[in-house]
Structure formats: C-alpha cells, structure tokens
Amino acid sequence: MNSARFSIVTLVVLLLMASVSYALTADEIIDKANQASYYAGKDGRAMVKMTITAKGGDVRIREFAQLRYNEENGDQKFYTYFKAPADVYKMAYLVWKNIGRDDDRWLWLPALNLKKRIAPGDKRTSFVGSDFLYEDVSGRSPEEDVHTLQEETDRYYRIDNVPKDPGSVEFSHYVVEINKATFLPMIARYYDHSGKIYREVEALKVEEIQGFPTVLVSEARDLVSGSVTRNEFSEVQYDIGLNSRIFTERFLRRPPREVQ
Amino acid sequence: MKHWVLALVLVMWASVAWGWQLHGFVDGRSGMRLQDDDVERQAILNELRLQLDLNHMSDLAIWQFRADLVGDEAVGESEQDLERGYGVLDLREANVLLTPFYFLDVKLGRQILTWGTGDLLFINDLFPKDWQSFFIGRDVEYLKAPSDAAMFSFYPSWANVDVIYVPQFDADRYISGERISYWNPMLGRRAGAQDEMVVDQRGDWFSEDEWHVRVSRNIEGIELAAYGYDGYWKSPQGVDALYRSYFPKLRVFGASVRSSFAGGVANVETGYYDSREDRRGDDPMVPNSELRALLGYEREIVRNFSAAVQYYLEYMQDYSAYRRTLPTGMNARDEDRHVVTLRLTRQLLNQNLELSLFTYWSPSDRDSYLRPHVKYKASDAISLYLGANLFFGDAPDTFFGQFENNTNLYAGMRYSF
C-alpha cells in the first residue's frame, strides 16, 4: 500500500518535472498558436472594422460582423455579415472550413435573393480587397509548412516556416514570433525568393476576454505596394451558444440577431 | 382595421428592435446602339435612378422595402405599371419575414425570388426575369423582376421545403419591342416600337396563379434539390384563336446537384417542361413540351482570375408532330438547342477593378451573345461601369440573332450610401 502510494507520487512528480523541463517542439508551438488564434472557445463573435490605407493615402473601410463555430473534428464554420461599404451592405459570406479537403463557400446576394456558390479558390488571395489574405482570416493549416524553432527568449518563440509545396504560395518562407505566455503570434514576416521581407502581419493590441487572450488590433502591411490594413475588433465574445444551424441558407436569408 | 394597425405597430416596437436602416444608391447610365435599327431609336438607355432600401430587423420580424425612382429619356413606355416595370416607380421589394414557429419562416409581399444552379441560365427558376433590363445595360440584379408572393419555408431536420404561392401570374418582363427590336414570326420580320403586340396578360387573381416548390438538402457541402412549378409559360409564346399572344399552361419538374469538384464547383440541373395545352406536340400555336438540362463547372485558373463554363440543352418533344403541323412559311426550330456559356473574371488593383466577360454561344442556332463588362470602384461610394451587349447571328429569327440590331455600348456611374 505504502509502496504503491509512493510510486504514484513519484510518477506524478516525475511527470511534472518532465513537462516543465521538456521543451516544446516547433510543431507543438505552432499547433498551440493555431489553437490560440483560431479556435478559442466553442464559438465566437466579433465586430470588425477594417481600414485599408493605400500608399497615396486613399482610405477604404469595410465593416462586418463575424461568427465562428468549432466542430468536434477541427472543422469550422464562419458567417461574415457585411455592413459597409454601402454597396456590399447585407451581403453575407458563409464558409465551411473542412480539414483535409476544399472549403465550401457561399456568398449571399440580398438584391437577388441568391445563394451563390464560390469556387474554393486560392487562399493566398486578398480578403475583400485588403492586405489580409483569406488564410490570415481563417488560418493556415500547420500541415502545409515545415516548422523550425530558430530562437527562444523569455518572451517569445521565433519559428521559421518553409512551405512543403513552394509552388502554392507567393513567399519563400515566413518567420513568426509567438508569445510564450499567450501562444498568440505577435508578428509574422514573409520573405520573397530573394530573401527580402515584403509583407508583415502584426498583432498590435491583445487583451484577455473570458480567459482567452484575444487580438483586438492587428495590421497587415504590404511593403512592396505600401498599402496597410488595420483590423479593429470589438464586442468580442466567446461561448455564446451559437447553433450550427445559423451557418445554413435559412440564416443567410434571415440574418441572425448575433450579427446586428 | 384600426386594431390591426395598432397590433402591427406594437409587434414592431415591442420586439427587440435593431432599428431602421436606410441605404441606397444613385445610378446614372447611358447606352446606345452601335448600328442603325430601322424600328428603334439609336439611344437604348438614358436613365437616372435612385434606389432607397429601408429595413427594420427584430427578433419577430424583418421588414424590407426597396424601391427605385427612375427617369429615362430613352424610354418607349411611360405609363406606370408595377408588373412590367414601366414608369417612374419600380417597386422591388415590400415584404415582411415572420417566424411563427421555430421550423417555419413566412415571407409575405413583393419579393425577389431566385433558385436553381445555372449562371444566367434558368431551368427550375421560373420566377419572373426582366430580359429588357438585361439586354440594355442595367445592372445584372435587374434581370430578376419582383413577384407578389407568399413564401413558406419549412425547416424539418431532413430537408428545407420552400412553398411559394403567387396569387396573380407574374410574367417575365419580356421583349415586346418598346426598346428592343425582336423577330416577330406573325409579321415575318423584326418588330419594334411601332409594332404593338397584343397580349392577353392573365391577370385574374387566385385563378391565374402560380405554385413553386423546392425541397433541398445540403449534405456535407453537396447541395441536392428537387423542384416543381405549376403555372404558365413566362413569355407569351402561345397564339390564341384571335391571333393574340398569350401564356399557355406549364408545369415543370426538375432536380439539381451542386458540389465542390476537382478544385472547383460543379453543378448539374435538369427539368421537364410539361406544356399542358399541347401534350401531343401537334398544336403549332402552343410550344411543345421540352426537356432541359445544364452542366456547369467553375474554378480559379490563377490567383484573381476565374473561369466558368456551362453546357445547356433544350430538347423538344414530339418534334415530328411539330414539323408536320408547322404553318408553311414559318422557319422551323431545331429539335435540340445547344448553348455553351463561358464566364471569365479578372480582379485587379486590390479587387477595385473587375474585368469580366460572359458569352452565350449556340452552335445549333449559330448565334451568340457577348457581355463584356468593366467595373471600377473609384472609392467606397463611387463605382464606374463600362460594358456592351453584343449580339451575333446567321439568321434573324434565332434566340440571340433576332436582337442583332440592338447591339449596344453603355457607361454608367453609381454613388452608394
């Protein structure tokens, strides 16, 4: 009896020691960052204001509400409801993100009362004309890159990511700094094939909401064109009890109250 | 009556309200024919349009009003007609959407209705189309004309079921010569603004009506649907004993599938057109029954450039009876009408410039219709447009060939608020 208790205690202590001293691998860090960035809670909602400033000072604004729902198997559903500019007012964009196969995407055109299916398409395409890409919004699969831990300080992990299929992307590699406390990526720098940084995505303001560290201001900068897009998130909530039925045609026709 | 109004107001304000929203746009457009047309003016479109979109959302109801005020110098028609879309007011939407039960939505009033999988080709979508707007360079949203209808959408766990009742038949805003010249088989020539078309409109409420039904289901991104329609042909394709054009009875049954496929999206749709007044196909004054089908595929070719192709078939039933009874001197159509469409879309300048081309080409009719279009978003509020409607044909009486003299170029500007 005593020896049994002793061995259990020893085991627990040993395990604790192991987890403290055992350094995370680059793949584990990226997985945790992916969870922290895109999977917080069972579901979530945010109001987004996107300000696109071109090099010459021309400013364009997009405002939308976004709902997210996590499935058990890692699949996700996104509902984006546009409020501005006026020519896209009441349009809705529905994405079923499927792990391991193409996403299903639909665009709701209210003037035509039409649910238009969108071909899967390149995820490295600009999201609504901004400097953010579809992949920045819904997440890049960790499976698509080879990750190497370059540096570990007391504040962050710096990880280099090299695409497994270089033909599918415009960068040669990107380096991301991940906060050790929150596992949120704070800055990602994208390198072109000559080794120059041409694009940056940065988290400018992080706050804890319902226990989840949350990016409230982020910025994407195109260093070649000089264009900068800033995203400001407000009314962020997690675990609001969204029903997966919201992510269907019925609620494209009749926007749910959560987007108002 | 007063109680009813009071109850309505209470329902609107007692519910958790998100308030009224007002949006809209001012759109100016001008278009002209690129060749002479003996029976029409050179100007095809010279309009200024104000659209107001007013809506109110709450937990209990969504109210939606959308109306256009239109002034058009190139107009042939002038009397106010909300069905045909003539006159100063074009009422697009005036409806309320209610959810009386968790499994049921009801939308009552004037509304735009759309379903089916075709891209600018319609088999099971028998809601009214405005071909005139489509051909003269208005925004593509005007291809859909409104219906005065009651839509009941049931959401049991196994499918979505939509049942739509239209108490008074809504025809297409078909080509009748005011702006667009067309082939008139009775006259044996192209007809225009001076050739009045006598059409029996079928306007009897609750007896000359329409039913539309769709049962649809989305299984892991594979969209399946079955459709039914009981009403009339949407353009006046029949000729009665008094030599008036009219809308013969029609039933349609169909189905469609749409899914991601090979890095793109594929769709298949089919429908059987049961022309109830000519089931043997031997009445030359009423269209024969038809089988219609389409097959489509769309994908991105490279970043910001996508292509879509469709193949479409109209197969006429009882073709030999049609040929046998066709009046002498009238050109016979083919048993099969094939149409191939191609859509190319290129996005440039951070998606602020869009170049697109949509083409219809019929190898059987030997005619085609091209819709090149350029849209530039100069700012969040201002968009500029340039486009053309180009018709080509070997014969004057084929679907697109008849419109050859209407080939036009248009430019426009829209301020959205």
Side-chain angles (χ1 to χ4, degrees):
Chain A
M1 181 67 188
N2 262 352
S3 67
R5 185 184 292 163
F6 172 78
S7 61
I8 288 169
V9 170
T10 315
L11 194 67
V12 169
V13 169
L14 282 174
L15 279 172
L16 278 174
M17 282 173 62
S19 69
V20 169
S21 60
Y22 173 70
L24 290 169
T25 67
D27 284 2
E28 286 166 337
I29 296 163
I30 289 289
D31 276 341
K32 278 173 169 282
N34 190 43
Q35 287 294 323
S37 302
Y38 298 105
Y39 286 88
K42 167 78 183 148
D43 58 51
R45 151 198 135 119
M47 301 293 160
V48 187
K49 183 179 178 192
M50 197 175 238
T51 308
I52 308 162
T53 309
K55 191 182 183 182
D58 178 35
V59 173
R60 291 172 197 245
I61 309 257
R62 277 109 189 77
E63 286 178 51
F64 51 90
Q66 197 161 48
L67 306 178
R68 171 177 54 81
Y69 180 85
N70 296 349
E71 303 270 13
E72 303 280 309
N73 60 357
D75 287 358
Q76 287 180 308
K77 289 176 176 170
F78 294 89
Y79 186 117
T80 306
Y81 179 80
F82 286 92
K83 299 182 173 185
D87 66 336
V88 296
Y89 165 66
K90 285 200 295 184
M91 278 191 196
Y93 180 63
L94 182 64
V95 178
W96 292 3
K97 181 176 151 189
N98 303 307
I99 302 296
R101 65 180 176 92
D102 281 335
D103 295 349
D104 296 308
R105 314 198 289 188
W106 294 271
L107 188 64
W108 177 254
L109 302 171
L112 291 165
N113 202 47
L114 172 67
K115 185 177 84 164
K116 187 179 169 193
R117 183 107 184 202
I118 310 276
D122 190 331
K123 291 179 182 175
R124 306 288 307 163
T125 309
S126 159
F127 180 71
V128 296
S130 74
D131 298 296
F132 286 94
L133 309 181
Y134 277 98
E135 219 164 58
D136 300 320
V137 177
S138 64
R140 177 170 173 82
S141 168
E143 306 297 315
E144 298 205 51
D145 304 306
V146 176
H147 315 288
T148 315
L149 182 60
Q150 272 188 343
E151 191 191 358
E152 181 178 345
T153 71
D154 48 347
R155 283 179 34 247
Y156 60 80
Y157 300 105
R158 181 188 288 151
I159 290 179
D160 185 39
N161 307 274
V162 179
K164 291 178 185 169
D165 175 10
S168 68
V169 292
E170 81 286 3
F171 56 80
S172 67
H173 66 115
Y174 67 100
V175 176
V176 57
E177 289 178 11
I178 295 167
N179 184 299
K180 285 179 90 168
T182 64
F183 281 97
L184 286 176
M186 297 309 288
I187 186 161
R189 296 185 177 90
Y190 293 80
Y191 291 79
D192 65 16
H193 294 278
S194 67
K196 257 180 38 199
I197 300 173
Y198 71 94
R199 177 172 191 263
E200 293 175 334
V201 179
E202 186 172 7
L204 297 176
K205 184 180 172 192
V206 175
E207 275 179 20
E208 196 169 290
I209 293 174
Q210 292 171 252
F212 299 104
T214 303
V215 177
L216 292 182
V217 180
S218 64
E219 199 169 82
R221 297 183 285 267
D222 183 331
L223 306 180
V224 178
S225 73
S227 174
V228 175
T229 300
R230 179 173 284 220
N231 275 355
E232 292 162 276
F233 300 86
S234 58
E235 298 175 52
V236 179
Q237 280 181 291
Y238 299 103
D239 296 318
I240 55 177
L242 288 181
N243 191 315
S244 67
R245 286 189 310 143
I246 281 178
F247 302 84
T248 61
E249 178 166 358
R250 182 182 195 179
F251 290 92
L252 290 173
R253 288 181 185 173
R254 194 192 90 188
R257 60 176 311 182
E258 285 82 359
V259 302
Q260 298 298 326
Chain B
M1 183 63 194
K2 266 187 183 161
H3 291 288
W4 184 80
V5 171
L6 187 68
L8 200 71
V9 169
L10 280 176
V11 162
M12 285 172 72
W13 292 110
S15 57
V16 182
W18 303 312
W20 290 94
Q21 293 268 0
L22 177 68
H23 285 275
F25 58 75
V26 179
D27 186 303
R29 274 170 201 250
S30 181
M32 61 182 287
R33 286 190 169 73
L34 296 176
Q35 65 292 308
D36 288 332
D37 187 334
D38 297 339
V39 292
E40 302 283 357
R41 283 182 59 187
Q42 197 81 14
I44 202 164
L45 180 70
N46 267 325
E47 77 173 16
L48 188 63
R49 176 183 292 266
L50 167 68
Q51 179 172 96
L52 293 175
D53 179 328
L54 181 68
N55 68 71
H56 182 276
M57 296 194 198
S58 71
D59 277 351
L60 292 181
I62 297 177
W63 295 85
Q64 171 70 49
F65 305 95
R66 193 155 57 95
D68 289 10
L69 295 173
V70 194
D72 190 349
E73 186 273 332
V75 77
E77 72 275 355
S78 56
E79 275 169 55
Q80 184 65 51
D81 183 337
L82 288 180
E83 296 311 310
R84 297 281 288 140
Y86 294 169
V88 173
L89 177 67
D90 185 5
L91 184 61
R92 310 287 301 165
E93 288 183 277
N95 61 65
V96 59
L97 193 155
L98 303 163
T99 305
F101 303 103
Y102 75 96
F103 59 85
L104 173 66
D105 286 345
V106 181
K107 193 171 182 181
L108 304 170
R110 174 159 282 218
Q111 50 192 300
I112 307 280
L113 294 160
T114 306
W115 61 39
T117 64
D119 180 9
L120 301 181
L121 287 173
F122 305 95
I123 293 179
N124 291 296
D125 179 334
L126 286 133
F127 306 110
K129 317 289 184 306
D130 182 347
W131 294 106
Q132 188 153 281
S133 288
F134 189 61
F135 291 155
I136 64 178
R138 287 189 181 131
D139 191 276
V140 71
E141 77 165 87
Y142 290 96
L143 172 59
K144 298 296 293 192
S147 303
D148 296 316
M151 172 152 99
F152 302 89
S153 299
F154 300 89
Y155 299 97
S157 58
W158 49 275
N160 295 353
V161 180
D162 298 294
V163 177
I164 295 167
Y165 180 63
V166 180
Q168 184 195 35
F169 170 67
D170 278 320
D172 281 349
R173 293 175 175 180
Y174 52 86
I175 304 297
S176 53
E178 292 100 341
R179 285 174 196 256
I180 302 264
S181 60
Y182 67 102
W183 179 259
N184 186 317
M186 308 299 287
L187 299 174
R189 63 169 171 82
R190 283 196 175 104
Q194 304 306 316
D195 303 292
E196 206 174 326
M197 193 172 177
V198 185
V199 178
D200 175 16
Q201 294 294 347
R202 282 206 190 271
D204 288 348
W205 283 76
F206 303 109
S207 61
E208 294 181 320
D209 52 6
E210 301 171 39
W211 287 94
H212 303 254
V213 180
R214 178 181 67 164
V215 179
S216 60
R217 184 160 180 193
N218 186 336
I219 303 170
E220 300 284 315
I222 301 169
E223 298 167 274
L224 308 170
Y227 309 84
Y229 168 70
D230 187 11
Y232 306 89
W233 287 86
K234 287 284 167 168
S235 57
Q237 295 190 49
V239 178
D240 67 13
L242 302 170
Y243 288 97
R244 284 183 312 182
S245 296
Y246 79 109
F247 304 91
K249 289 177 186 167
L250 176 68
R251 274 189 193 139
V252 179
F253 305 94
S256 71
V257 182
R258 182 165 66 178
S259 171
S260 313
F261 178 75
V265 169
N267 61 295
V268 185
E269 184 168 340
T270 180
Y272 177 67
Y273 279 52
D274 175 11
S275 189
R276 294 169 59 207
E277 296 176 29
D278 188 18
R279 282 199 164 131
R280 286 180 307 181
D282 56 2
D283 183 344
M285 297 299 151
V286 176
N288 282 19
S289 295
E290 287 180 14
L291 187 69
R292 297 188 180 187
L294 73 81
L295 191 67
Y297 182 66
E298 175 178 8
R299 72 166 295 166
E300 197 176 69
I301 305 290
V302 292
R303 199 166 295 151
N304 293 317
F305 179 58
S306 65
V309 289
Q310 294 180 109
Y311 166 73
Y312 169 81
L313 170 71
E314 286 173 6
Y315 165 77
M316 188 197 282
Q317 243 186 2
D318 304 309
Y319 187 70
S320 56
Y322 162 79
R323 286 303 289 261
R324 199 175 60 244
T325 55
L326 190 76
T328 46
M330 238 156 139
N331 290 339
R333 53 161 280 187
D334 297 329
E335 186 169 18
D336 297 319
R337 175 167 174 250
H338 306 271
V339 178
V340 177
T341 74
L342 172 67
R343 179 191 284 280
L344 300 172
T345 310
R346 179 93 173 97
Q347 304 259 16
L348 297 158
L349 304 177
N350 297 327
Q351 302 176 8
N352 289 318
L353 178 64
E354 185 185 279
L355 310 179
S356 68
L357 175 67
F358 191 94
T359 66
Y360 295 89
W361 170 60
S362 172
S364 51
D365 281 354
R366 294 194 310 281
D367 63 359
S368 58
Y369 171 32
L370 277 64
R371 293 171 55 85
H373 189 249
V374 180
K375 175 182 178 181
Y376 177 61
K377 291 189 70 171
S379 73
D380 279 343
I382 295 174
S383 297
L384 306 171
Y385 308 90
L386 181 65
N389 292 287
L390 311 171
F391 300 95
F392 303 95
D394 284 357
D397 61 339
T398 57
F399 190 82
F400 297 118
Q402 65 179 320
F403 302 125
E404 211 169 25
N405 288 347
N406 299 290
T407 285
N408 63 77
L409 179 75
Y410 63 91
M413 180 170 159
R414 177 178 290 199
Y415 174 79
S416 305
F417 58 88

